Amino acid sequence: MEQTDALQERIRAGDVRQRDVTRRLAELAFGRANDCVRLALEDAPDLKALDLSLLSEVRRNDKGTVEIKLIDRLRALEQLAALAGEQDSGMDSFLQALRGGEEA
């Protein structure tokens, strides 16, 4: 939670770093859509408890049919690959960042 608070503070200050972008892209590319499905299936889901970061669009028609669209994971992976190619430290540090181990 502290890491998220620190990131939010940097965003407000306009100090977003490349590792922040890389980590967020990795979360989007490899994240689980369970909470998005829960939103569509449950009658009264607790919205504050759901991680809907992968959700792009929700539609419900008058007959009760629900359609959910998720973000384009392939595009997120392409962006990750581009960032990995630009990093001076190479693929090892990229993989370490995906595991959440990069602090520098």
Side-chain angles (χ1 to χ4, degrees):
M1 192 65 122
E2 292 175 17
Q3 189 175 22
T4 303
D5 293 339
L7 175 58
Q8 291 299 323
E9 187 61 35
R10 285 199 314 273
I11 289 171
R12 281 191 284 278
D15 183 27
V16 178
R17 300 175 185 150
Q18 185 173 354
R19 72 172 187 206
D20 298 326
V21 174
T22 302
R23 184 172 286 128
R24 186 65 182 135
L25 281 170
E27 290 170 0
L28 293 173
F30 300 111
R32 295 177 58 148
N34 296 6
D35 285 348
C36 298
V37 173
R38 184 173 293 138
L39 175 69
L41 296 179
E42 290 183 3
D43 290 331
D46 180 9
L47 295 179
K48 291 182 181 180
L50 299 177
D51 176 9
L52 301 176
S53 58
L54 299 179
L55 188 64
S56 175
E57 185 177 330
V58 177
R59 292 185 188 181
R60 184 181 301 250
N61 70 16
D62 56 348
K63 296 179 183 178
T65 303
V66 177
E67 177 184 343
I68 59 172
K69 288 186 180 181
L70 303 177
I71 60 110
D72 185 347
R73 291 176 186 249
L74 183 56
R75 189 167 178 199
L77 284 170
E78 289 170 347
Q79 293 296 317
L80 273 174
L83 282 174
E86 293 174 7
Q87 289 182 350
D88 294 338
S89 56
M91 188 56 77
D92 290 335
S93 63
F94 172 71
L95 293 174
Q96 184 180 3
L98 285 178
R99 288 186 218 109
E102 183 180 51
E103 295 297 325

